[in-house]
Amino acid sequence: MKVHEYQAREIFARYGIPVLQGEVCATPEEARKIAEKLQKSVVIKAQVQVGGRGKAGGIKLAKNPEEAEKLAKEILGMEIKGITVEKIMVTEAIDIKEELYVGMVIDRAGKKIALMTSEAGGIEIEEVARKTPDKIHKVGVDPLVGLKNYQIQRLVAPLFKEKELKQEAGSIIRKLYQAFVENDCSLAEINPLVVTVEGKLLACDTKVNIDDNALFRKELAELRDPGAEDPLELEARQSDLSYVGLDGSVACIVNGAGLAMTTMDIIKLYGGEPANFLDVGGSSSPEKVVNAMRIILTNKNVRAILINIFGGITRCDDIAAGIIEAMNKMEVPYPIVVRLTGTNKEKAREMLANTDLNFADSFAEGVKKVVKLAE
């Protein structure tokens, strides 16, 4: 789960990480009042959970409260990558001497928390990794052991010569690590962590992603903003489906996250492009298949659909019943390729025998057929 920048800022502030002064608001009048309170130039920042806000005009500098109100009126209500700006954050403007990067993510392969710093702050870390990987300094922390002082030194030493700044940055990294662990984060990032002209460190832009598995915790679940999420992903979650929209033309309905990922890989291997990740789960009801079909049919890029089921706990006849119900309830204008194997596959094939579906006996055969049909 992504949270807004202002929410990440509030989390970091609770752990003693130095952040910019400011507040979040939803009206131009409130923006003016915040600017009056700060008594200095302010930055108006659109609160949307996508990148590219600055290029889209969602981040602007205001020199006085009147200008803050005017710019807030321009930003509120604008669309950035299809998302309407409903809130803005008004923060103090500062004079920046240097921009750095500090962040951490889950390293699943290494079974550790990967901590990273870089002297190339202010741009996406993926871009830094691609163009200047030598500017990324990284350590892996075993969560059972915890973050050690020598690891902190390894991260801050390449960034500063001044002892005071090294100590200050080390303290921020330790606090960020604590916030990461205690809030079940999958990502926590300060980009940029700035050095001001006065020689102080401030978290200028904050980002947090929280593991969905932690949302049984009320205080974390309350951070979710359904209005900021992809409507289809929200609908899928409410239907107990895992869905992520993509840009390809081959839609997928699959059971199990691993098989779903593999299906997308094989589609690309055979020259196609997946239109989505969609996992109907390990125990599927016909209703899940109907909901899955309804969701993927809203994607205008879809040209063909692959239903790839490896039945274990999932019964193939349940999937077949869902396919029949979906075809009776809605018009499906695209060809469908079905690969069903495992529990009750013979019964499922009998149920689907009189349909116009394209059947495949193997994984590879099904992908080849659907890629060809999507051309």
Side-chain angles (χ1 to χ4, degrees):
M1 178 187 77
K2 295 180 180 179
V3 304
H4 286 292
E5 179 190 4
Y6 77 89
Q7 295 170 312
R9 173 183 167 276
E10 290 168 359
I11 292 172
F12 292 173
R14 287 204 303 269
Y15 285 85
I17 295 171
V19 298
L20 295 172
Q21 296 182 65
E23 297 176 35
V24 68
C25 65
T27 68
E29 294 75 21
E30 289 175 307
R32 179 192 179 103
K33 290 178 181 177
I34 296 168
E36 288 173 348
K37 190 186 304 183
L38 292 173
Q39 296 185 334
K40 60 195 307 186
S41 296
V42 296
V43 178
I44 315 293
K45 305 177 78 174
Q47 295 300 284
V48 289
Q49 297 174 3
V50 294
R53 293 178 298 170
K55 291 180 181 178
I59 301 177
K60 294 185 178 180
L61 175 67
K63 296 179 180 178
N64 53 58
E66 292 76 19
E67 191 175 0
E69 183 176 10
K70 176 178 176 292
L71 293 176
K73 190 174 182 179
E74 293 175 4
I75 294 174
L76 284 164
M78 72 183 298
E79 281 200 3
I80 300 177
K81 295 185 178 179
I83 299 176
T84 302
V85 179
E86 296 181 350
K87 293 181 181 179
I88 54 174
M89 187 164 66
V90 182
T91 66
E92 60 177 325
I94 56 173
D95 293 322
I96 297 173
K97 179 181 178 183
E98 192 176 356
E99 293 184 323
L100 309 166
Y101 171 91
V102 176
M104 50 198 71
V105 295
I106 300 292
D107 177 1
R108 298 188 185 278
K111 299 180 181 179
K112 293 181 179 181
I113 300 172
L115 275 64
M116 295 169 285
T117 60
S118 176
E119 53 266 55
I123 57 178
E124 292 184 1
I125 196 65
E126 294 85 359
E127 191 73 12
V128 179
R130 184 163 51 250
K131 293 184 176 179
T132 53
D134 56 304
K135 290 186 178 180
I136 296 179
H137 317 290
K138 180 180 173 181
V139 299
V141 179
D142 185 332
L144 297 178
V145 176
L147 179 60
K148 298 299 181 183
N149 288 333
Y150 78 88
Q151 294 175 311
I152 293 177
Q153 292 303 314
R154 189 178 296 173
L155 291 170
V156 302
L159 305 183
F160 308 104
K161 294 180 180 178
E162 303 89 341
K163 181 180 178 182
E164 294 78 11
L165 284 177
K166 287 182 181 180
Q167 290 176 340
E168 193 176 347
S171 174
I172 289 172
I173 290 172
R174 186 169 291 283
K175 291 170 181 175
L176 187 64
Y177 178 82
Q178 184 182 1
F180 183 95
V181 172
E182 292 183 1
N183 291 278
D184 288 317
C185 297
S186 57
L187 176 146
E189 184 176 84
I190 302 172
N191 188 23
L193 173 68
V194 303
V195 183
T196 68
V197 293
E198 295 82 16
K200 298 294 184 182
L201 290 177
L202 279 175
C204 197
D205 199 324
T206 53
K207 184 176 181 180
V208 163
N209 292 351
I210 293 172
D211 191 326
D212 284 350
N213 293 306
L215 297 185
F216 66 91
R217 295 170 58 182
K218 184 179 178 182
E219 70 276 14
L220 296 179
E222 288 175 347
L223 297 174
R224 169 160 266 153
D225 180 3
E229 298 181 40
D230 184 306
L232 291 181
E233 293 183 19
L234 181 62
E235 182 183 349
R237 186 169 60 251
Q238 291 170 343
S239 300
D240 199 23
L241 301 169
S242 296
Y243 172 87
V244 178
L246 301 171
D247 297 326
S249 60
V250 179
C252 315
I253 298 177
V254 189
N255 68 311
L259 182 58
M261 293 294 290
T262 305
T263 300
M264 292 192 298
D265 287 343
I266 302 301
I267 287 171
K268 291 182 72 70
L269 178 66
Y270 286 110
E273 289 293 334
N276 62 270
F277 167 99
L278 199 157
D279 171 18
V280 295
S283 180
S284 297
S285 65
E287 184 183 3
K288 276 192 174 183
V289 180
V290 174
N291 290 332
M293 190 73 75
R294 185 179 66 253
I295 288 168
I296 63 175
L297 288 178
T298 61
N299 186 338
K300 296 179 181 179
N301 294 327
V302 171
R303 294 292 177 268
I305 300 169
L306 173 63
I307 300 176
N308 185 22
I309 303 296
F310 189 95
I313 298 173
T314 303
R315 290 169 40 185
C316 292
D317 55 320
D318 279 344
I319 298 294
I323 295 171
I324 293 169
E325 186 177 345
M327 294 177 72
N328 287 334
K329 285 186 173 181
M330 62 192 83
E331 181 182 353
V332 183
Y334 314 115
I336 301 174
V337 177
V338 178
R339 180 252 184 170
L340 295 168
T341 188
T343 307
N344 291 353
K345 70 174 184 179
E346 292 83 5
K347 183 178 179 181
R349 290 292 288 265
E350 289 175 9
M351 294 169 64
L352 298 171
N354 296 321
T355 65
D356 295 329
L357 302 174
N358 300 275
F359 293 97
D361 294 321
S362 70
F363 193 166
E365 180 190 352
V367 174
K368 288 178 180 177
K369 280 187 176 182
V370 79
V371 169
K372 185 175 181 63
L373 289 167
E375 291 177 351

